[in-house]
Amino acid sequence: MSQKFTLTEFLNRYPTNDACLEHIKQLRWGSATICPKCERKSNFYKVKGRTAYACQFCGHHMYPLAGTIFDKSSTPLTSWFYAIYLMAQTRSGISAKQLERELGVTYKTAWRMFKQIRLLLSDDSDINNLQGTVEVDETYIHPDKKKNTRIKTNSRFYGQSQILMGMVEQGGRARIKHIQSTGRRELIGQIKGNVQVSATVYSDGFRSYRALPKHGYTHAWVDHKAHQYLVAGIGTQNVENLWSQFKRGMYGVYRHCDPKYLQSYANEYAFRYSHRNTPAHMFDLFLGQIASTKFVRG
Ligand SMILES: [Zn+2]
């Protein structure tokens, strides 16, 4: 837990755009890869002045950035890496405003970088649904009334309280979903999509959850209203801790979040929570997602 990836270490590892490019190449292809043209296992070497590598046998060019968020970006790789470093090091999030100051880019650029990095931190990359004992709970995110009048948005839901659903493995991973209602269909549907049916689900006494056994889940709940907080080890403290951490970041750092982007903020928090026991590797985990070709869009 105490290991940290210090800024000095970071700067030593990624001092130049070429060093960043080399790292992405390694992440995607390893040190040697099959050349798609001559079909030989080749060590690709860097082409000077370009973001390309050439096959040692036939000279065929390959581009490590193709299909990643760095592709066709006018922002230098060193700035992208630094943004990822900052996002990976923080506990409760960092704002685009902070990045604008740190990188000396425009607010618009900083905001777009964060948005793109966040999009990749979706739990879609984790195909294994939650298992074991899983705590579930919903919470509300309330709009900041003072800010509302100053932000222009087309979002239909702007200014309304938004609902989030949290699902947390005891001692393990978390998922957070932006949901439209607390109806039974919505809540049970989320559990079926994110929690293995072999799991034991803990919740509060909310009625919508009572149908869980019908869907094959073992379900135990505590009635908070009856002050029945801990019944034979059943509780929802983990998901409650997740909410307090999430809200501290949400209200403290971002303040005004367009509901359109709430899911991507939620993904960032869930990702960080799921990997909380390996903070030193957070940067590599973030970058691993970002360099992945799975996320090629468009
Ligand atoms: Zn070749």
Side-chain angles (χ1 to χ4, degrees):
M1 276 297 271
S2 60
Q3 289 165 293
K4 279 198 85 176
F5 184 28
T6 66
L7 183 59
T8 311
E9 283 166 339
F10 167 78
L11 293 172
N12 283 337
R13 249 164 82 176
Y14 308 109
T16 61
N17 287 323
D18 279 359
C20 298
L21 185 68
E22 178 63 28
H23 186 68
I24 294 165
K25 178 206 168 216
Q26 290 284 340
L27 276 174
R28 297 193 70 180
W29 307 328
S31 49
T33 190
I34 305 290
C35 170
K37 192 156 183 214
C38 70
E39 295 177 350
R40 294 168 77 176
K41 191 166 186 173
S42 166
N43 292 307
F44 280 76
Y45 61 88
K46 176 79 175 47
V47 180
K48 204 163 186 276
R50 303 188 59 178
T51 57
Y53 282 78
C55 171
Q56 70 179 117
F57 302 111
C58 72
H60 175 67
H61 281 191
M62 281 178 58
Y63 296 84
L65 302 185
T68 69
I69 57 169
F70 314 116
D71 196 12
K72 300 186 180 80
S73 166
S74 56
T75 306
L77 277 178
T78 46
S79 299
W80 274 108
F81 271 48
Y82 188 47
I84 294 162
Y85 174 79
L86 293 172
M87 276 176 90
Q89 290 307 108
T90 171
R91 248 169 197 283
S92 52
I94 177 168
S95 68
K97 198 85 198 148
Q98 284 167 272
L99 190 68
E100 174 193 3
R101 278 196 299 268
E102 296 257 6
L103 288 182
V105 295
T106 63
Y107 179 78
K108 204 175 156 193
T109 299
W111 191 86
R112 281 192 58 232
M113 288 171 82
F114 269 155
K115 188 179 144 204
Q116 282 180 282
I117 294 167
R118 236 177 237 122
L119 277 176
L120 304 173
L121 298 178
S122 141
D123 54 29
D124 294 347
S125 59
D126 185 358
I127 54 163
N128 299 310
N129 280 346
L130 306 181
Q131 56 188 343
T133 301
V134 178
E135 300 175 11
V136 301
D137 192 23
E138 335 80 51
T139 197
Y140 289 83
I141 297 292
H142 302 293
D144 183 336
K145 294 250 158 50
K146 278 179 285 183
K147 298 264 173 183
N148 273 345
T149 49
R150 285 196 272 137
I151 298 161
K152 289 203 178 90
T153 173
N154 296 321
S155 177
R156 188 155 64 94
F157 299 105
Y158 203 81
Q160 295 178 17
S161 291
Q162 303 295 314
I163 317 164
L164 291 171
M165 180 177 184
M167 292 162 273
V168 181
E169 275 176 349
Q170 286 191 351
R173 301 165 294 162
R175 291 190 184 177
I176 306 173
K177 298 291 174 186
H178 182 200
I179 58 176
Q180 298 308 316
S181 85
T182 56
R184 189 174 65 190
R185 188 190 288 263
E186 175 91 273
L187 297 184
I188 301 279
Q190 287 294 343
I191 291 171
K192 286 170 81 171
N194 292 284
V195 181
Q196 291 183 19
V197 75
S198 58
T200 297
V201 178
Y202 287 174
S203 72
D204 59 20
F206 193 50
R207 285 214 157 266
S208 292
Y209 293 118
R210 308 257 179 109
L212 276 168
K214 267 193 240 160
H215 296 271
Y217 292 91
T218 305
H219 179 220
W221 51 278
V222 277
D223 189 353
H224 288 176
K225 283 197 197 96
H227 302 289
Q228 194 189 3
Y229 284 101
L230 258 178
V231 184
I234 300 164
T236 52
Q237 296 91 335
N238 290 288
V239 69
E240 282 155 28
N241 288 345
L242 174 73
W243 288 145
S244 64
Q245 198 179 324
F246 182 85
K247 287 183 177 180
R248 212 176 312 134
M250 197 68 221
Y251 293 133
V253 181
Y254 303 116
R255 290 194 200 97
H256 46 275
C257 173
D258 190 317
K260 250 194 323 203
Y261 302 116
L262 193 52
Q263 185 60 57
S264 64
Y265 286 99
N267 289 343
E268 183 192 338
Y269 275 84
F271 188 92
R272 195 174 277 123
Y273 182 93
S274 296
H275 300 287
R276 67 198 176 284
N277 293 327
T278 50
H281 303 300
M282 199 68 86
F283 176 83
D284 292 325
L285 288 166
F286 268 57
L287 203 61
Q289 296 283 95
I290 283 149
S292 167
T293 48
K294 258 186 308 200
F295 295 103
V296 176
R297 276 173 290 143

